Amino acid sequence: MAEIRYIKAVNQALADAMEADPTVFLIGEDIGAAGGSFKATRDLLDKFGPERVYDSPISEAAITGMAVGAALTGMRPVVEIMFMDFTTLSMDMLVNQAAKARSMFGGQGSVPMVLRTPHGGGLNAGPQHSQCLEAWFAHVPGLRVVCPSNPADAYGLLRAAIDDPDPVIVVENKALYAMKGDLPDDREPIEIGKGRIVRPGRDATVVSYGAAVAMAQTAAETMAEEGIEVEVIDLRSIQPWDEDLVLESLTRTHNLVVAHEAVEAFGVGAEIVARMADIGFDQLDGPILRVGAPFAPSPFGKTLEDAYRPDASQIVAALRRTLA
């Protein structure tokens, strides 16, 4: 088992998938010689050549449209969109074409493509480069959405996404790219739709994904100092999400908080809260609470961005409120 950075795990997953399957190719802006904005595709041009690592023009709509067409003809394209904010320019191809193809063709055609894109703040990149838009894509039938929280999951979920017969959005929190973690020697894809218990507990459950998982763990450690044991769940996959795992945990702990970096209003957390209030109502000892960003654009300034982004202290406050 080797220690590896998150961004290197992404790079390794791409290289391994391209080695294993000649139909896998990469397309995006500056992903060739430059290695991508965050260096996720570093050295892959030298290894696989320009026919499989394709530096595209600056047109997210064209990039995604080319990928949809290639996928429909049997290829497995992996698109890199430099910032998740720029997926706005890919929405027609993703939402109206890729997501609908299997249904429109009566199950006779599919779009086995992946779109990788970084979301989130922490780099003071401002309101047009820091958004978390995963709820948009999770709302669209036909799209799958995953968001890894650590290097091993970044590898395993990306491999699973590339193997999937339908379009998958892989959301990578750019503040995690430098994170170090263990990558198993026997690397395998991670099943999309299956979460994991990061920390077991008996008094409350925190459900999170991406960068919020580390916040939830810090909050759990704080509560443990007071004798309160918090169970932390990493969803890994947002669409589909592991409803059974969350309900099983709620059945044990009887208190639930959902935390994510995205804006709280109309977010992924709202769906989880609504579903658990429906099927898990009898298990609740307190209100289900959400922790997320305020309903405002992400600010540029470091001090303002720090205040804007959710943190462990807000999760602790939510836990205390529901336990009260």
Side-chain angles (χ1 to χ4, degrees):
M1 184 176 290
E3 186 178 65
I4 191 171
R5 291 191 186 274
Y6 188 115
I7 195 68
K8 178 59 179 175
V10 172
N11 180 276
Q12 188 67 57
L14 293 172
D16 289 353
M18 294 174 79
E19 287 275 12
D21 186 347
T23 68
V24 176
F25 74 95
L26 313 182
I27 179 171
E29 297 164 11
D30 292 333
I31 66 166
S37 296
F38 297 96
K39 308 305 178 187
T41 54
R42 188 195 298 254
D43 299 328
L44 297 183
L45 175 63
D46 293 338
K47 189 170 185 179
F48 295 101
E51 292 186 354
R52 296 188 66 194
V53 181
Y54 185 74
D55 258 331
S56 71
I58 303 174
S59 174
E60 285 77 12
I63 295 166
T64 313
M66 183 182 292
V68 172
L72 283 167
T73 61
M75 301 296 286
R76 289 186 176 270
V78 181
V79 171
E80 178 178 304
I81 299 296
M82 197 177 289
F83 290 89
M84 192 173 202
D85 314 68
F86 305 161
T87 58
T88 53
L89 301 164
S90 303
M91 291 298 276
D92 179 60
M93 282 297 162
L94 287 171
V95 173
N96 289 327
Q97 309 305 328
K100 306 294 190 291
R102 183 177 289 278
S103 176
M104 294 286 287
F105 301 146
Q108 298 178 75
S110 65
V111 181
M113 66 170 281
V114 171
L115 186 143
R116 292 182 43 252
T117 189
H119 79 161
L123 302 184
N124 311 121
Q128 296 171 331
H129 297 76
S130 305
Q131 296 174 89
C132 297
L133 304 176
E134 55 272 11
W136 288 5
F137 298 106
H139 184 72
V140 178
L143 296 180
R144 313 186 96 186
V145 185
V146 301
C147 188
S149 68
N150 60 78
D153 284 4
Y155 180 94
L157 287 170
L158 181 52
R159 290 298 307 273
I162 294 171
D163 290 345
D164 199 279
D166 291 302
V168 183
I169 312 296
V170 178
V171 183
E172 301 159 0
N173 192 292
K174 53 184 172 283
L176 298 181
Y177 277 150
M179 171 195 268
K180 290 183 178 180
D182 291 331
L183 186 64
D185 295 329
D186 54 340
R187 300 186 287 268
E188 295 290 340
I190 293 170
E191 183 180 354
I192 294 175
K194 293 296 182 183
R196 68 185 180 103
I197 295 175
V198 178
R199 178 189 177 112
R202 64 174 185 272
D203 298 313
T205 299
V206 178
V207 176
S208 56
Y209 60 86
V213 173
M215 300 177 204
Q217 289 177 276
T218 300
E221 290 165 6
T222 299
M223 299 300 285
E225 294 173 2
E226 303 172 16
I228 297 169
E229 292 299 326
V230 175
E231 185 150 289
V232 177
I233 290 178
D234 179 357
L235 281 183
R236 290 174 159 173
S237 176
I238 298 166
Q239 181 61 266
W241 61 281
D242 200 339
E243 180 182 302
D244 291 341
L245 180 65
V246 176
L247 181 59
E248 288 168 9
S249 181
L250 177 60
T251 302
R252 289 191 298 273
T253 68
H254 307 290
N255 294 283
L256 179 61
V257 171
V258 185
H260 51 57
E261 187 175 336
V263 169
E264 180 183 298
F266 296 88
V268 172
E271 169 62 23
I272 297 170
V273 169
R275 186 62 180 150
M276 287 301 114
D278 180 13
I279 65 174
F281 182 81
D282 292 340
Q283 301 297 331
L284 290 168
D285 286 348
I288 311 176
L289 300 179
R290 289 175 293 161
V291 174
F295 194 63
S298 177
F300 269 110
K302 183 180 188 317
T303 303
L304 288 174
E305 189 188 51
D306 289 346
Y308 173 87
R309 295 177 73 212
D311 60 19
S313 68
Q314 291 172 262
I315 299 175
V316 168
L319 284 165
R320 286 181 175 146
R321 181 180 161 200
T322 193
L323 287 165

